[in-house]
């Protein structure tokens, strides 16, 4: 029904939030049981993607980098080198899972506002490494900041 409304309104793509700051995933995840799959037996991201593609809509997925369920979070990452490394690793794992499960879509994320420069500067925030890891695994999904997501559409 949502995708029918999108088409009727003249939309060409939909963007769905896969996980927001509370850490609740709207998809079946091997990384967490805190999801729609374990609570109601549904993979809402897969359902929306199937419906959107059946109607010729492109799909973008928004994924919050930080969440309050998985620790360490971005705040802890600013305070501790080991926490930073673990935060980066788990963030990459989540984005990789999305890229692998939902091939052919765009995965976007946003930095907190205002973005802590200590976290997002290229030397500290290895977004390039994340992009490279997706390309080397032969997937067609792209990971980009939300500000650049529209440029890739």
């Amino acid at each position: 029904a949502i995708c029918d409304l999108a088409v009727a309104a003249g939309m060409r793509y939909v963007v769905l939030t896969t996980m927001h700051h509370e850490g609740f995933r709207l998809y079946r995840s091997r990384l967490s049981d805190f999801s729609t799959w374990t609570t109601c037996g549904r993979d809402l991201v897969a359902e929306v993607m199937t419906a959107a593609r059946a109607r010729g809509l492109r799909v973008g997925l928004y994924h919050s980098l930080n969440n309050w369920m998985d620790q360490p979070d971005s705040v802890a990452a600013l305070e501790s080198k080991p926490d930073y490394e673990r935060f980066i690793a788990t963030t990459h794992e989540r984005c990789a899972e999305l890229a692998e499960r939902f091939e052919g879509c765009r995965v976007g994320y946003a930095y907190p506002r205002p973005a802590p420069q200590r976290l997002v500067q290229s030397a500290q925030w290895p977004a390039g490494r994340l992009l490279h890891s997706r390309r080397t695994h032969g997937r067609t999904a792209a990971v980009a900041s939300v500000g650049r997501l529209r440029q890739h559409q």
Side-chain angles (χ1 to χ4, degrees), residues 30-140:
R30 70 180 182 277
L31 303 173
S32 175
D33 290 333
F34 192 49
S35 70
T36 55
W37 185 257
T38 56
T39 58
C40 65
R42 294 178 67 183
D43 184 327
L44 300 179
V45 175
E47 291 177 27
V48 169
M49 287 191 66
T50 299
R53 288 178 171 165
R55 290 157 181 80
L57 294 167
R58 289 181 284 178
V59 180
L61 300 177
Y62 167 79
H63 188 77
S64 178
L65 294 181
N66 192 34
N67 74 82
W68 305 311
M69 177 60 75
D70 300 334
Q71 295 298 317
D73 64 6
S74 63
V75 174
L78 292 172
E79 304 299 325
S80 159
K81 180 72 171 166
D83 284 348
Y84 169 80
E85 292 298 329
R86 184 68 191 134
F87 172 76
I88 294 299
T90 58
T91 299
H92 284 208
E93 287 177 272
R94 290 193 323 265
C95 290
E97 180 178 59
L98 288 170
E100 291 162 9
R101 294 226 34 247
F102 304 110
E103 191 168 342
C105 67
R106 306 273 189 229
V107 179
Y109 54 81
Y111 300 124
R113 299 284 186 243
Q117 289 304 308
R118 293 180 298 167
L119 181 62
V120 300
Q121 290 172 346
S122 61
Q124 292 182 306
W125 176 246
R129 188 171 77 199
L130 180 59
L131 285 167
H132 178 73
S133 70
R134 298 290 50 83
R135 290 185 188 122
T136 58
H137 287 98
R139 301 294 177 194
T140 57

Side-chain angles (χ1 to χ4, degrees), residues 9-20:
M11 295 177 174
R12 295 180 293 151
Y13 65 92
V14 295
V15 177
L16 177 68
T17 299
T18 60
M19 182 193 79
H20 208 257

